[in-house]
Amino acid sequence: MTAWLLVCVGAALGAPARYLLDRFVQSRHTALIPWGTLTINLSGAFLLGGLYGSAADADLLLLLGTGFCGAFTTFSTFAFETVRLVEDRAAGAAFGNLAITLLGGVGAAFAGFALTASW
């Protein structure tokens, strides 16, 4: 299978997964912090770290890493929601969202990598 097709198939699975998980998480609370996007980005970082830690073959990295994780995670939504929090005068929630996403995302990627690199 060619590389672009693997990326397309992964993306076709990642985008609806993001939408469904976001709706599932967001429907369960009314907090200011966008927990759906946060959950998606942290779990995607963990998955991507795990893929690289496992030394997955190139096709699997294209399918799941570039395709699925690329469509599943969302930096643009994270950025927009953080700006929206600032506009809504919720600077504390905006800073919390920023810190948790950036530090948590890097931590999740490290954790995923560490968990699978020892296999």
Side-chain angles (χ1 to χ4, degrees), residues 1 3-21 62-73:
M1 197 177 284
W4 70 270
L5 189 53
L6 288 168
V7 172
C8 289
V9 169
L13 298 171
R18 176 181 72 212
Y19 174 78
L20 293 171
L21 182 58
L62 285 170
L63 177 70
L64 296 178
T66 304
F68 183 84
C69 288
F72 181 66
T73 60

Side-chain angles (χ1 to χ4, degrees), residues 38-106:
L38 181 62
T39 301
I40 288 161
N41 286 337
L42 294 181
S43 61
F46 180 81
L47 175 61
L48 190 57
L51 286 168
Y52 277 93
S54 70
D57 74 353
D59 286 347
L60 191 59
L61 289 174
L62 285 170
L63 177 70
L64 296 178
T66 304
F68 183 84
C69 288
F72 181 66
T73 60
T74 173
F75 186 84
S76 58
T77 301
F78 151 70
F80 171 75
E81 289 171 342
T82 303
V83 168
R84 191 189 44 141
L85 288 169
V86 171
E87 288 178 343
D88 291 344
R89 302 187 193 285
F95 179 76
N97 187 46
L98 181 68
I100 293 168
T101 299
L102 295 178
L103 296 175
V106 171

